[in-house]
Amino acid sequence: MAVNQTQSYLMAKFEAMGIRPQTRLGQNFLIDLNLLRLLHESGNIEKNDVVLEVGTGTGSLTAPMAEKAAAVITVDVDPVMQNLAKQELFGHDNVRFFNCDILKNKNKLRQEVLDAVYEELAIPLSDGTKRRFKLVSNLPYSIATPLITNLLLTEHPPVLMCVTIQKELADRITAKPGKKDWGALSLWTQSQCRTEIVRIMPPNVFFPRPKVDSAIVRLFLDEKKRAKIPDLKYWNEFSRAIFFHRRKFLRAELCSAFKDTIPKLRIDEIMAEMHFDANVRAETLPLKTMQQLAELCRKELLKLPEKERKIL
């Protein structure tokens, strides 16, 4: 049975072991047991789920997930904390530990972790039910954006991502067109997922306390939306490029992004085809319109030799 890892429990444990949390590694432990339970329950974990957890910490979330899931793949960059988690999780044979950075680099996930997930997904349950991939984690702030972004670039992304992240990032993921937080991450996530904020959390529910508010956010994969994207890699690059210089006019953004590939005259023609005003800005345009614009530009790139199809 999982131990209630309150602040007093963790402080006593760390003191006995002669260790302390390392904030540079994003070690902010969720000590409000009601919110920890909410995070766990919001993951809707069932017996056919393969759960990826990034940031094992002391195993406070790992343990209740392991009691419900088919398998838990848990990753932590700190070997000391993960060894502590292994002690807490003794007897949970469906947990696989990885002591590494989940990011090989900012644009690529660690392949051995993904391979472990896919191995578990390939195992059918006794009733023949297929397993499902989920991400449920109290994420270190610094890896949240590249992790979510890169998981959505994989061939088999999670059907649900339920994570604690900075509130600022949660606002960007769930933003609406015309709002200050509407940007590249909004486009990327909402083009493939239904997104929602479950709960805003103040700093005092963590130990040590971060300097900002956090949020539990959920992203539900929408296969129909995802299937409508002709080229995921291109769409990801387009989304980032079109918001590279916020507050610039859209035409200037397009000219900058495609300066070596699409002539300015053709960009003006595309603007006219889309019935855009000369002063329109990217942050005012809804997802559907952005996707239509991206596709017109992609068709222009397809006229070029493959090695020349670049977005800057």
Side-chain angles (χ1 to χ4, degrees), residues 143-160:
I143 67 165
T145 297
L147 176 63
I148 292 170
T149 297
N150 285 302
L151 280 173
L152 287 174
L153 269 170
T154 61
E155 187 176 353
H156 302 290
V159 298
L160 170 64

Side-chain angles (χ1 to χ4, degrees), residues 16 43 67 96 117 121 152 164 232 267 294 310:
E67 290 169 7
R96 296 173 65 175
V117 170
L121 286 173
L152 287 174
T164 63
L232 276 172
I267 286 175
K310 299 177 182 177

